[in-house]
Amino acid sequence: MTLCPRLMLPSRHWLYPWIATLAAAVMLGRSASTVRVFNHTTDEPAHIAAAVSLYEAHKAIYMIEHPPLQRIVVGAALRLAGVGLERARDEKTVQSRHASNHAGGVVLFGGPVPYWRVLVIARLANLVFPALALFFLYRLGSWLASPLVGLLAVAFFSVDPSLLAHGGLAGTDVAAAAGFLMVTYFGLRLVARPTWKRALIAGAALGLGLATKFTCMFVIPALGILLLARAARAILRRRQKQATAISAFRRVWPTIPQMLTIAAVAFVVLWGTYLFDVGQLSNQELFDQERTWLKIPLSIKEASIPMPSMVLGNMFLVTLSRHGFRCYLNGHVGLSGGWQYFFEAITIKSPIGMLAAFALAVLVFVISRSRHPWKSLAILLPPSLLFLISSAGKLQIGIRHIIPVLPFMYLFAAFQLHRGRWIIVLFGLM
Protein backbone atom coordinates (compact mmCIF):
# COMPACT_ATOMS: atom_id res chain seq x y z
CA MET A 1 0.00 0.00 0.00
CA THR A 2 1.46 3.34 -1.05
CA LEU A 3 1.53 5.90 1.76
CA CYS A 4 1.58 9.68 1.70
CA PRO A 5 4.80 10.83 3.42
CA ARG A 6 4.69 12.23 6.98
CA LEU A 7 0.91 11.94 7.39
CA MET A 8 0.85 8.21 6.62
CA LEU A 9 -2.50 8.69 4.91
CA PRO A 10 -2.96 5.74 2.56
CA SER A 11 -3.52 6.57 -1.11
CA ARG A 12 -5.88 3.56 -1.25
CA HIS A 13 -8.36 2.42 1.35
CA TRP A 14 -11.61 0.48 1.23
CA LEU A 15 -13.38 3.35 3.02
CA TYR A 16 -12.64 5.95 0.33
CA PRO A 17 -15.44 5.05 -2.12
CA TRP A 18 -17.90 4.90 0.78
CA ILE A 19 -16.83 8.33 2.06
CA ALA A 20 -17.15 9.69 -1.48
CA THR A 21 -20.61 8.14 -1.71
CA LEU A 22 -21.56 9.79 1.58
CA ALA A 23 -20.34 13.19 0.31
CA ALA A 24 -22.38 12.72 -2.86
CA ALA A 25 -25.45 11.72 -0.83
CA VAL A 26 -25.15 14.81 1.34
CA MET A 27 -24.84 16.98 -1.77
CA LEU A 28 -27.92 15.37 -3.35
CA GLY A 29 -29.85 15.77 -0.11
CA ARG A 30 -28.97 19.44 0.11
CA SER A 31 -30.08 20.07 -3.49
CA ALA A 32 -33.22 18.00 -3.01
CA SER A 33 -34.15 20.08 0.03
CA THR A 34 -34.52 23.15 -2.23
CA VAL A 35 -36.83 21.75 -4.90
CA ARG A 36 -39.94 23.16 -3.17
CA VAL A 37 -38.30 26.37 -1.98
CA PHE A 38 -38.00 28.28 -5.25
CA ASN A 39 -40.56 28.67 -7.99
CA HIS A 40 -39.56 27.91 -11.59
CA THR A 41 -36.65 29.72 -13.25
CA THR A 42 -36.97 31.47 -16.61
CA ASP A 43 -36.21 28.45 -18.77
CA GLU A 44 -37.40 25.53 -16.61
CA PRO A 45 -40.91 25.49 -18.16
CA ALA A 46 -39.40 25.12 -21.64
CA HIS A 47 -37.07 22.36 -20.44
CA ILE A 48 -40.02 20.53 -18.87
CA ALA A 49 -42.09 20.91 -22.05
CA ALA A 50 -39.17 19.55 -24.08
CA ALA A 51 -38.94 16.53 -21.77
CA VAL A 52 -42.66 15.73 -21.91
CA SER A 53 -43.01 16.37 -25.65
CA LEU A 54 -40.13 14.00 -26.48
CA TYR A 55 -42.40 11.12 -25.45
CA GLU A 56 -45.53 12.65 -27.00
CA ALA A 57 -44.03 13.53 -30.40
CA HIS A 58 -41.38 10.76 -30.46
CA LYS A 59 -38.82 13.36 -31.52
CA ALA A 60 -37.22 16.53 -30.15
CA ILE A 61 -39.42 19.52 -31.04
CA TYR A 62 -38.89 22.02 -28.21
CA MET A 63 -35.63 23.76 -27.24
CA ILE A 64 -33.69 21.68 -29.75
CA GLU A 65 -30.49 23.65 -29.05
CA HIS A 66 -30.16 21.22 -26.12
CA PRO A 67 -29.70 17.50 -26.86
CA PRO A 68 -32.21 15.02 -25.44
CA LEU A 69 -30.57 12.79 -22.80
CA GLN A 70 -31.66 15.01 -19.92
CA ARG A 71 -35.16 15.13 -21.44
CA ILE A 72 -35.28 11.31 -21.59
CA VAL A 73 -34.61 11.02 -17.85
CA VAL A 74 -36.87 13.88 -16.70
CA GLY A 75 -39.58 13.06 -19.24
CA ALA A 76 -39.77 9.44 -18.06
CA ALA A 77 -40.35 10.55 -14.46
CA LEU A 78 -43.01 13.05 -15.53
CA ARG A 79 -44.79 10.51 -17.72
CA LEU A 80 -44.94 8.05 -14.83
CA ALA A 81 -46.60 10.81 -12.78
CA GLY A 82 -49.25 11.31 -15.45
CA VAL A 83 -47.89 14.55 -16.94
CA GLY A 84 -48.65 14.98 -20.64
CA LEU A 85 -48.85 17.55 -23.41
CA GLU A 86 -51.61 16.77 -25.87
CA ARG A 87 -50.67 19.50 -28.33
CA ALA A 88 -47.29 17.82 -28.91
CA ARG A 89 -48.73 14.38 -29.64
CA ASP A 90 -47.32 13.11 -32.96
CA GLU A 91 -46.09 16.63 -33.83
CA LYS A 92 -43.24 16.52 -36.37
CA THR A 93 -42.42 20.22 -36.69
CA VAL A 94 -39.62 21.70 -34.58
CA GLN A 95 -41.16 24.62 -32.69
CA SER A 96 -39.90 28.13 -32.00
CA ARG A 97 -38.45 29.17 -28.65
CA HIS A 98 -41.60 31.19 -27.91
CA ALA A 99 -43.70 28.07 -28.50
CA SER A 100 -41.42 26.14 -26.11
CA ASN A 101 -42.03 28.64 -23.33
CA HIS A 102 -45.77 28.63 -23.98
CA ALA A 103 -45.91 24.83 -23.95
CA GLY A 104 -44.03 24.81 -20.66
CA GLY A 105 -46.67 27.12 -19.19
CA VAL A 106 -49.39 24.74 -20.34
CA VAL A 107 -47.68 21.78 -18.65
CA LEU A 108 -47.06 23.63 -15.38
CA PHE A 109 -50.32 25.56 -15.09
CA GLY A 110 -52.85 23.99 -17.43
CA GLY A 111 -52.44 20.26 -16.97
CA PRO A 112 -54.10 17.75 -14.63
CA VAL A 113 -50.98 17.49 -12.43
CA PRO A 114 -50.52 20.45 -10.03
CA TYR A 115 -47.74 22.99 -10.57
CA TRP A 116 -45.58 22.05 -7.60
CA ARG A 117 -45.84 18.32 -8.25
CA VAL A 118 -44.64 18.76 -11.84
CA LEU A 119 -41.77 21.01 -10.80
CA VAL A 120 -40.65 18.81 -7.90
CA ILE A 121 -40.71 15.59 -9.96
CA ALA A 122 -38.71 17.21 -12.78
CA ARG A 123 -36.12 18.60 -10.37
CA LEU A 124 -35.74 15.38 -8.39
CA ALA A 125 -35.32 13.34 -11.58
CA ASN A 126 -32.60 15.74 -12.71
CA LEU A 127 -30.52 14.86 -9.61
CA VAL A 128 -29.36 11.80 -11.54
CA PHE A 129 -26.86 14.03 -13.32
CA PRO A 130 -25.03 15.61 -10.36
CA ALA A 131 -24.74 12.06 -9.00
CA LEU A 132 -23.16 10.95 -12.28
CA ALA A 133 -20.86 13.98 -12.30
CA LEU A 134 -19.53 13.09 -8.84
CA PHE A 135 -19.21 9.42 -9.80
CA PHE A 136 -17.08 10.13 -12.88
CA LEU A 137 -15.04 12.72 -10.98
CA TYR A 138 -14.14 10.01 -8.45
CA ARG A 139 -13.35 7.54 -11.24
CA LEU A 140 -11.19 10.06 -13.08
CA GLY A 141 -9.24 11.07 -9.97
CA SER A 142 -8.79 7.45 -8.90
CA TRP A 143 -7.54 6.37 -12.32
CA LEU A 144 -5.20 9.31 -12.90
CA ALA A 145 -3.75 9.33 -9.39
CA SER A 146 -5.34 7.35 -6.55
CA PRO A 147 -8.68 6.84 -4.77
CA LEU A 148 -7.51 9.40 -2.21
CA VAL A 149 -7.37 12.06 -4.93
CA GLY A 150 -10.76 10.97 -6.23
CA LEU A 151 -12.22 11.22 -2.74
CA LEU A 152 -10.74 14.66 -2.07
CA ALA A 153 -12.00 16.01 -5.41
CA VAL A 154 -15.53 14.65 -4.84
CA ALA A 155 -15.73 15.91 -1.25
CA PHE A 156 -14.50 19.36 -2.30
CA PHE A 157 -16.71 19.66 -5.39
CA SER A 158 -19.79 18.34 -3.56
CA VAL A 159 -20.07 21.61 -1.61
CA ASP A 160 -19.64 23.89 -4.63
CA PRO A 161 -22.48 26.48 -4.71
CA SER A 162 -22.98 26.23 -8.49
CA LEU A 163 -23.33 22.44 -8.30
CA LEU A 164 -25.74 22.66 -5.36
CA ALA A 165 -27.83 25.36 -7.02
CA HIS A 166 -28.09 24.02 -10.56
CA GLY A 167 -28.18 20.40 -9.45
CA GLY A 168 -31.64 21.05 -8.00
CA LEU A 169 -33.07 22.61 -11.17
CA ALA A 170 -34.68 20.95 -14.19
CA GLY A 171 -32.02 22.09 -16.67
CA THR A 172 -29.16 20.69 -18.73
CA ASP A 173 -26.21 22.48 -17.13
CA VAL A 174 -25.15 19.87 -14.57
CA ALA A 175 -25.94 17.14 -17.09
CA ALA A 176 -23.30 18.79 -19.28
CA ALA A 177 -20.75 18.48 -16.46
CA ALA A 178 -21.55 14.78 -16.06
CA GLY A 179 -21.22 14.20 -19.79
CA PHE A 180 -17.97 16.18 -20.02
CA LEU A 181 -16.40 14.18 -17.16
CA MET A 182 -17.57 10.88 -18.64
CA VAL A 183 -16.19 11.61 -22.12
CA THR A 184 -12.90 12.82 -20.64
CA TYR A 185 -12.53 9.75 -18.41
CA PHE A 186 -13.13 7.16 -21.11
CA GLY A 187 -11.29 9.24 -23.70
CA LEU A 188 -8.16 9.46 -21.55
CA ARG A 189 -8.24 5.71 -20.97
CA LEU A 190 -8.27 5.25 -24.73
CA VAL A 191 -5.36 7.69 -25.14
CA ALA A 192 -3.37 5.81 -22.49
CA ARG A 193 -3.82 2.42 -24.15
CA PRO A 194 -5.80 2.16 -27.41
CA THR A 195 -7.66 -1.16 -27.55
CA TRP A 196 -10.82 -2.30 -29.27
CA LYS A 197 -12.68 -2.57 -25.98
CA ARG A 198 -11.72 0.95 -24.95
CA ALA A 199 -12.56 2.26 -28.42
CA LEU A 200 -16.09 0.82 -28.20
CA ILE A 201 -16.61 2.25 -24.70
CA ALA A 202 -15.18 5.63 -25.70
CA GLY A 203 -17.52 5.77 -28.69
CA ALA A 204 -20.56 5.02 -26.52
CA ALA A 205 -19.41 7.58 -23.93
CA LEU A 206 -18.92 10.21 -26.63
CA GLY A 207 -22.42 9.61 -27.98
CA LEU A 208 -23.97 9.89 -24.53
CA GLY A 209 -21.82 12.92 -23.69
CA LEU A 210 -22.95 14.75 -26.82
CA ALA A 211 -26.52 13.84 -25.84
CA THR A 212 -26.08 15.82 -22.61
CA LYS A 213 -24.60 18.95 -24.22
CA PHE A 214 -23.01 19.68 -27.57
CA THR A 215 -20.05 21.34 -25.79
CA CYS A 216 -18.76 17.84 -24.98
CA MET A 217 -17.35 17.87 -28.51
CA PHE A 218 -14.55 20.10 -27.19
CA VAL A 219 -13.08 17.06 -25.45
CA ILE A 220 -12.25 15.62 -28.88
CA PRO A 221 -9.56 18.19 -29.87
CA ALA A 222 -8.12 18.00 -26.33
CA LEU A 223 -7.72 14.24 -26.67
CA GLY A 224 -6.23 14.76 -30.12
CA ILE A 225 -3.60 17.11 -28.71
CA LEU A 226 -2.75 14.58 -25.99
CA LEU A 227 -2.43 11.81 -28.58
CA LEU A 228 -0.12 13.95 -30.70
CA ALA A 229 1.97 14.77 -27.64
CA ARG A 230 2.28 11.07 -26.75
CA ALA A 231 3.14 10.20 -30.34
CA ALA A 232 5.83 12.91 -30.46
CA ARG A 233 7.26 11.64 -27.18
CA ALA A 234 7.32 8.07 -28.48
CA ILE A 235 9.06 9.14 -31.70
CA LEU A 236 11.72 11.04 -29.77
CA ARG A 237 12.40 7.97 -27.66
CA ARG A 238 12.38 5.47 -30.52
CA ARG A 239 16.17 5.31 -30.80
CA GLN A 240 16.43 3.83 -27.32
CA LYS A 241 14.27 0.92 -28.46
CA GLN A 242 15.67 0.78 -32.01
CA ALA A 243 12.24 1.39 -33.51
CA THR A 244 11.21 3.42 -36.54
CA ALA A 245 9.20 6.62 -36.21
CA ILE A 246 6.19 4.97 -37.85
CA SER A 247 6.21 1.97 -35.51
CA ALA A 248 6.60 4.25 -32.49
CA PHE A 249 3.66 6.34 -33.71
CA ARG A 250 1.47 3.28 -34.26
CA ARG A 251 2.03 2.00 -30.74
CA VAL A 252 0.38 5.04 -29.13
CA TRP A 253 -2.20 6.04 -31.74
CA PRO A 254 -5.54 4.26 -32.29
CA THR A 255 -5.81 2.47 -35.61
CA ILE A 256 -7.98 3.88 -38.39
CA PRO A 257 -10.57 1.08 -37.95
CA GLN A 258 -10.72 1.89 -34.22
CA MET A 259 -11.26 5.60 -34.88
CA LEU A 260 -13.97 4.81 -37.44
CA THR A 261 -15.60 2.51 -34.89
CA ILE A 262 -15.57 5.26 -32.27
CA ALA A 263 -17.29 7.63 -34.71
CA ALA A 264 -19.85 5.01 -35.78
CA VAL A 265 -20.73 3.95 -32.23
CA ALA A 266 -21.00 7.58 -31.09
CA PHE A 267 -23.32 8.35 -34.00
CA VAL A 268 -25.62 5.39 -33.32
CA VAL A 269 -25.77 6.09 -29.56
CA LEU A 270 -26.48 9.79 -30.13
CA TRP A 271 -29.11 8.92 -32.74
CA GLY A 272 -30.68 6.53 -30.24
CA THR A 273 -31.19 9.38 -27.76
CA TYR A 274 -33.10 11.15 -30.54
CA LEU A 275 -35.29 8.01 -30.72
CA PHE A 276 -33.81 7.15 -34.15
CA ASP A 277 -35.81 9.98 -35.71
CA VAL A 278 -35.51 10.52 -39.46
CA GLY A 279 -37.00 13.67 -40.95
CA GLN A 280 -36.52 16.83 -42.95
CA LEU A 281 -34.87 20.09 -41.98
CA SER A 282 -37.82 21.94 -43.50
CA ASN A 283 -40.08 20.74 -40.67
CA GLN A 284 -39.24 23.68 -38.42
CA GLU A 285 -40.46 27.11 -37.29
CA LEU A 286 -37.11 28.54 -36.16
CA PHE A 287 -35.46 30.02 -39.24
CA ASP A 288 -38.19 31.16 -41.60
CA GLN A 289 -36.81 34.71 -41.65
CA GLU A 290 -33.14 33.87 -41.09
CA ARG A 291 -30.94 34.99 -44.01
CA THR A 292 -28.61 31.98 -43.83
CA TRP A 293 -31.56 29.59 -43.81
CA LEU A 294 -32.95 31.11 -46.98
CA LYS A 295 -29.65 30.42 -48.77
CA ILE A 296 -29.78 26.67 -48.11
CA PRO A 297 -30.94 24.79 -51.25
CA LEU A 298 -34.44 23.35 -51.05
CA SER A 299 -33.12 19.91 -51.99
CA ILE A 300 -31.10 19.86 -48.76
CA LYS A 301 -34.00 21.10 -46.67
CA GLU A 302 -36.33 18.44 -48.09
CA ALA A 303 -33.89 15.54 -47.81
CA SER A 304 -34.63 12.89 -45.17
CA ILE A 305 -31.76 12.69 -42.68
CA PRO A 306 -31.17 11.16 -39.23
CA MET A 307 -31.58 13.50 -36.27
CA PRO A 308 -32.83 16.62 -38.07
CA SER A 309 -33.49 18.20 -34.65
CA MET A 310 -29.79 17.86 -33.80
CA VAL A 311 -28.75 19.60 -37.02
CA LEU A 312 -31.32 22.36 -36.49
CA GLY A 313 -30.23 22.73 -32.87
CA ASN A 314 -26.62 23.28 -33.85
CA MET A 315 -27.70 25.75 -36.55
CA PHE A 316 -29.67 27.63 -33.90
CA LEU A 317 -26.61 27.76 -31.62
CA VAL A 318 -24.49 29.09 -34.48
CA THR A 319 -27.09 31.78 -35.10
CA LEU A 320 -27.11 32.75 -31.41
CA SER A 321 -23.31 32.81 -31.34
CA ARG A 322 -23.21 35.09 -34.36
CA HIS A 323 -25.82 37.56 -33.12
CA GLY A 324 -25.07 37.28 -29.41
CA PHE A 325 -27.39 36.97 -26.43
CA ARG A 326 -28.27 39.77 -24.03
CA CYS A 327 -26.05 39.57 -20.95
CA TYR A 328 -24.88 41.67 -18.01
CA LEU A 329 -21.30 42.39 -16.94
CA ASN A 330 -19.92 45.09 -14.62
CA GLY A 331 -22.92 47.38 -14.91
CA HIS A 332 -23.32 47.06 -18.68
CA VAL A 333 -25.96 45.17 -20.66
CA GLY A 334 -25.05 44.05 -24.16
CA LEU A 335 -24.94 41.16 -26.60
CA SER A 336 -21.51 40.03 -25.42
CA GLY A 337 -19.90 40.26 -22.00
CA GLY A 338 -16.28 40.15 -23.17
CA TRP A 339 -13.28 37.86 -22.83
CA GLN A 340 -13.19 38.34 -19.03
CA TYR A 341 -16.83 37.35 -18.44
CA PHE A 342 -16.34 33.72 -17.37
CA PHE A 343 -13.11 34.53 -15.53
CA GLU A 344 -15.03 37.01 -13.40
CA ALA A 345 -17.95 34.59 -13.04
CA ILE A 346 -15.70 31.88 -11.59
CA THR A 347 -13.81 34.37 -9.41
CA ILE A 348 -16.96 35.94 -7.94
CA LYS A 349 -19.24 32.90 -7.73
CA SER A 350 -16.76 30.28 -6.46
CA PRO A 351 -15.82 29.73 -2.81
CA ILE A 352 -12.64 31.44 -1.65
CA GLY A 353 -11.39 28.06 -0.44
CA MET A 354 -11.56 26.60 -3.94
CA LEU A 355 -9.90 29.61 -5.55
CA ALA A 356 -7.10 29.54 -2.99
CA ALA A 357 -6.66 25.78 -3.39
CA PHE A 358 -6.45 26.06 -7.18
CA ALA A 359 -3.97 28.95 -7.01
CA LEU A 360 -1.86 27.03 -4.50
CA ALA A 361 -2.00 23.94 -6.72
CA VAL A 362 -0.63 25.98 -9.62
CA LEU A 363 2.18 27.20 -7.37
CA VAL A 364 2.99 23.66 -6.21
CA PHE A 365 3.02 22.51 -9.84
CA VAL A 366 5.58 25.19 -10.68
CA ILE A 367 7.93 24.67 -7.72
CA SER A 368 7.57 20.94 -7.08
CA ARG A 369 9.90 18.34 -8.55
CA SER A 370 7.14 15.72 -8.71
CA ARG A 371 4.68 17.81 -10.69
CA HIS A 372 3.55 14.99 -13.02
CA PRO A 373 3.21 17.20 -16.12
CA TRP A 374 1.43 14.61 -18.29
CA LYS A 375 -1.30 13.91 -15.75
CA SER A 376 -1.64 17.61 -15.00
CA LEU A 377 -2.04 18.28 -18.73
CA ALA A 378 -4.69 15.56 -18.94
CA ILE A 379 -6.64 17.23 -16.13
CA LEU A 380 -6.36 20.81 -17.37
CA LEU A 381 -6.47 20.61 -21.17
CA PRO A 382 -10.12 19.56 -21.81
CA PRO A 383 -11.70 22.19 -19.49
CA SER A 384 -9.22 24.84 -20.68
CA LEU A 385 -10.38 24.45 -24.28
CA LEU A 386 -14.02 24.75 -23.19
CA PHE A 387 -13.22 27.82 -21.10
CA LEU A 388 -11.25 29.57 -23.87
CA ILE A 389 -13.83 28.85 -26.58
CA SER A 390 -16.66 29.98 -24.30
CA SER A 391 -14.78 33.17 -23.41
CA ALA A 392 -14.29 33.96 -27.09
CA GLY A 393 -17.99 33.40 -27.89
CA LYS A 394 -21.08 35.50 -27.32
CA LEU A 395 -23.21 33.10 -25.25
CA GLN A 396 -22.23 34.55 -21.90
CA ILE A 397 -25.31 34.30 -19.72
CA GLY A 398 -24.09 32.79 -16.46
CA ILE A 399 -21.53 30.52 -14.87
CA ARG A 400 -23.87 27.59 -15.56
CA HIS A 401 -22.53 27.45 -19.13
CA ILE A 402 -19.07 26.49 -17.89
CA ILE A 403 -20.01 24.30 -14.93
CA PRO A 404 -18.06 21.44 -16.63
CA VAL A 405 -14.86 23.43 -15.94
CA LEU A 406 -15.37 23.49 -12.16
CA PRO A 407 -14.85 19.80 -11.24
CA PHE A 408 -11.51 19.81 -13.05
CA MET A 409 -10.35 22.75 -10.94
CA TYR A 410 -11.19 20.79 -7.78
CA LEU A 411 -9.50 17.70 -9.22
CA PHE A 412 -6.31 19.62 -10.06
CA ALA A 413 -6.20 21.05 -6.53
CA ALA A 414 -6.66 17.60 -5.01
CA PHE A 415 -4.07 16.09 -7.34
CA GLN A 416 -1.35 18.63 -6.51
CA LEU A 417 -2.09 19.05 -2.79
CA HIS A 418 -2.79 15.48 -1.64
CA ARG A 419 0.87 14.74 -0.81
CA GLY A 420 2.75 15.43 2.41
CA ARG A 421 2.00 18.54 4.43
CA TRP A 422 0.05 20.12 1.59
CA ILE A 423 -2.92 17.92 2.42
CA ILE A 424 -3.30 19.73 5.77
CA VAL A 425 -3.66 23.01 3.87
CA LEU A 426 -6.13 21.34 1.49
CA PHE A 427 -8.26 20.08 4.39
CA GLY A 428 -8.26 23.60 5.86
CA LEU A 429 -9.39 25.14 2.58
CA MET A 430 -12.07 22.49 2.16
Side-chain angles (χ1 to χ4, degrees):
M1 182 180 292
T2 304
L3 300 179
C4 295
R6 297 183 182 89
L7 289 179
M8 303 298 288
L9 193 62
S11 60
R12 298 178 182 276
H13 196 281
W14 66 270
L15 275 176
Y16 290 166
W18 293 104
I19 298 173
T21 301
L22 177 61
V26 171
M27 176 268 147
L28 295 173
R30 295 179 69 189
S31 287
S33 69
T34 69
V35 295
R36 286 191 64 89
V37 175
F38 305 105
N39 64 297
H40 65 274
T41 60
T42 302
D43 55 357
E44 273 187 298
H47 283 298
I48 290 172
V52 176
S53 66
L54 184 65
Y55 288 89
E56 297 278 13
H58 308 291
K59 68 173 292 183
I61 61 172
Y62 290 127
M63 285 191 81
I64 44 86
E65 64 268 28
H66 300 281
L69 186 58
Q70 183 266 352
R71 282 82 160 87
I72 292 174
V73 173
V74 174
L78 291 172
R79 291 280 289 181
L80 289 174
V83 180
L85 184 60
E86 187 175 352
R87 67 171 61 190
R89 196 158 299 161
D90 299 321
E91 177 65 65
K92 299 302 178 185
T93 302
V94 172
Q95 303 295 305
S96 66
R97 184 60 183 271
H98 174 75
S100 302
N101 293 328
H102 182 69
V106 172
V107 174
L108 282 171
F109 300 106
V113 182
Y115 167 85
W116 275 112
R117 180 169 172 77
V118 174
L119 195 61
V120 166
I121 290 172
R123 287 174 170 177
L124 289 177
N126 206 65
L127 289 175
V128 168
F129 295 103
L132 287 173
L134 293 170
F135 171 78
F136 282 109
L137 180 59
Y138 180 81
R139 296 290 295 174
L140 182 59
S142 299
W143 179 74
L144 278 174
S146 69
L148 175 61
V149 172
L151 166 62
L152 292 172
V154 166
F156 210 172
F157 183 48
S158 68
V159 294
D160 182 85
S162 295
L163 176 67
L164 290 167
H166 292 282
L169 299 176
T172 60
D173 302 301
V174 178
F180 204 91
L181 283 162
M182 176 179 62
V183 175
T184 301
Y185 170 65
F186 288 113
L188 288 175
R189 289 177 64 91
L190 177 69
V191 169
R193 187 162 64 89
T195 64
W196 274 105
K197 180 180 178 180
R198 293 189 176 190
L200 289 170
I201 295 174
L206 178 59
L208 290 173
L210 291 174
T212 61
K213 201 85 167 182
F214 295 131
T215 49
C216 287
M217 69 179 64
F218 297 138
V219 179
I220 299 174
L223 296 176
I225 293 172
L226 290 171
L227 275 171
L228 288 173
R230 288 198 71 225
R233 187 185 184 189
I235 291 172
L236 291 174
R237 292 183 173 183
R238 73 186 188 278
R239 294 181 181 177
Q240 300 176 5
K241 301 181 179 180
Q242 297 180 347
T244 64
I246 295 177
S247 63
F249 181 86
R250 285 177 175 174
R251 277 199 301 270
V252 300
W253 197 272
T255 64
I256 292 178
Q258 285 175 341
M259 290 190 289
L260 292 175
T261 299
I262 293 170
V265 171
F267 176 84
V268 172
V269 170
L270 180 61
W271 189 15
T273 64
Y274 280 91
L275 308 184
F276 296 106
D277 176 46
V278 176
Q280 301 172 339
L281 295 178
S282 57
N283 290 336
Q284 58 81 34
E285 296 180 356
L286 284 173
F287 304 110
D288 291 340
Q289 305 301 322
E290 177 66 30
R291 184 179 304 175
T292 304
W293 172 259
L294 297 176
K295 294 180 180 179
I296 299 176
L298 185 62
S299 58
I300 295 178
K301 297 177 185 178
E302 297 293 336
S304 295
I305 61 171
M307 299 181 286
S309 298
M310 188 271 289
V311 178
L312 290 168
N314 279 280
M315 291 173 61
F316 185 71
L317 287 174
V318 170
T319 302
L320 284 178
S321 299
R322 185 170 64 249
H323 296 299
F325 202 95
R326 189 171 297 277
C327 65
Y328 171 89
L329 177 66
N330 297 336
H332 300 283
V333 176
L335 295 178
S336 177
W339 65 268
Q340 76 276 27
Y341 180 91
F342 287 117
F343 177 81
E344 288 194 25
I346 289 179
T347 303
I348 293 171
K349 291 198 169 188
S350 296
I352 295 175
M354 187 275 270
L355 298 174
F358 184 77
L360 186 60
V362 173
L363 177 63
V364 170
F365 174 78
V366 172
I367 66 176
S368 175
R369 293 182 179 179
S370 57
R371 59 173 60 101
H372 301 289
W374 286 100
K375 291 183 178 180
S376 297
L377 182 64
I379 294 172
L380 293 177
L381 186 57
S384 295
L385 284 182
L386 173 60
F387 180 84
L388 291 174
I389 293 172
S390 299
S391 297
K394 293 184 177 181
L395 290 178
Q396 300 173 339
I397 49 176
I399 194 174
R400 62 194 180 93
H401 283 273
I402 56 165
I403 284 181
V405 172
L406 301 180
F408 290 89
M409 297 179 69
Y410 287 99
L411 177 58
F412 183 71
F415 178 63
Q416 293 295 335
L417 303 179
H418 79 282
R419 295 180 292 269
R421 296 174 181 174
W422 291 116
I423 198 170
I424 300 177
V425 179
L426 181 62
F427 280 142
L429 293 172
M430 290 172 67

